[in-house]
Amino acid sequence: MDMFAAQNRAKCYTLFSLCGAALFLLGVSLGFAVSSKAPAQEAQAAPTPLVALTPSAAPVEAARVDAIGEAGVHPQAQVMIQTVFESCGHAYPQKSGSIVGCTQSDLNEMFPGYTVEEFSRERVVLRQQRPGYCPAHLILTIADGKTVIMQTDPESLQSERIIDPTWDVSGADEALLAQLQAGIAFEELAQIDEFIENLES
């Protein structure tokens, strides 16, 4: 009996040892498998870096500059601001100051009475129509029953009396009086003097 019990205990110890070894080997193999898969899963789960999704600041700033250039007057644009006088048909240039960056709405506010005829990066044209003659002309006319010489002021564009010539027009015919009422344009004072002398002679 003792011998049989001893053999049974030896078998049990051997069986337990084999089970323990098998469990140990199974644990080692499972641990290795898990550890080998973890980096791959982490690599797949890692989010895409924000740098790859966010555009750089330089293209954004460049786009803003281009947008401003399209909306406003470009620094190298050709700018023409003119007043066209109906009596002589001449286009008189106007001083504008700096209008770089101004939009078309800005120009409408800055130059009331002018029409924006062209507005692009290359060229900006504003024009207005005014009655009378441009500042290049001297106008012989009648005011308050007397002959006067008028000229358009280049700054205000208003017609102003500059000289009152001593010329008696009481003997002038109706055709000449009508011309004087409308205004006779000259380029120089010498031309006016010659015109009056010819009428008086």
Side-chain angles (χ1 to χ4, degrees), residues 9-73:
R9 281 197 296 272
K11 289 180 180 180
C12 286
Y13 291 145
T14 302
L15 183 61
F16 286 140
S17 297
L18 289 175
C19 287
L23 288 174
F24 175 76
L25 291 175
L26 181 61
V28 170
S29 63
L30 286 174
F32 177 76
V34 170
S35 63
S36 64
K37 289 181 180 179
Q41 292 175 351
E42 289 178 2
Q44 293 177 359
T48 305
L50 291 177
V51 175
L53 295 177
T54 304
S56 65
V60 173
E61 292 299 323
R64 289 176 181 166
V65 170
D66 287 343
I68 292 173
E70 292 174 0
V73 179

Side-chain angles (χ1 to χ4, degrees), residues 41-187:
Q41 292 175 351
E42 289 178 2
Q44 293 177 359
T48 305
L50 291 177
V51 175
L53 295 177
T54 304
S56 65
V60 173
E61 292 299 323
R64 289 176 181 166
V65 170
D66 287 343
I68 292 173
E70 292 174 0
V73 179
H74 194 269
Q76 297 182 353
Q78 179 186 7
V79 178
M80 295 176 61
I81 301 177
Q82 298 177 332
T83 298
V84 179
F85 289 85
E86 296 174 356
S87 297
C88 60
H90 294 159
Y92 189 77
Q94 291 294 101
K95 297 179 181 179
S96 62
S98 178
I99 60 172
V100 173
C102 292
T103 64
Q104 188 166 343
S105 298
D106 295 334
L107 294 178
N108 288 331
E109 294 180 5
M110 292 169 62
F111 300 94
Y114 285 78
T115 300
V116 180
E117 296 185 355
E118 293 185 48
F119 188 87
S120 66
R121 287 172 62 90
E122 294 78 23
R123 183 177 166 88
V124 176
V125 177
L126 282 78
R127 286 195 179 95
Q128 73 165 342
Q129 297 279 341
R130 288 184 68 94
Y133 291 87
C134 75
H137 299 283
L138 300 172
I139 310 304
L140 179 63
T141 186
I142 296 177
D144 302 325
K146 298 179 181 179
T147 56
V148 295
I149 297 175
M150 309 285 289
Q151 186 175 27
T152 299
D153 181 74
E155 296 295 331
S156 65
L157 299 183
Q158 300 295 321
S159 182
E160 298 178 352
R161 182 184 299 189
I162 60 171
I163 299 175
D164 293 347
T166 56
W167 178 35
D168 183 10
V169 293
S170 59
D173 58 29
E174 293 184 2
L176 178 57
L177 289 176
Q179 287 182 330
L180 290 172
Q181 290 286 354
I184 304 174
F186 297 89
E187 294 182 2

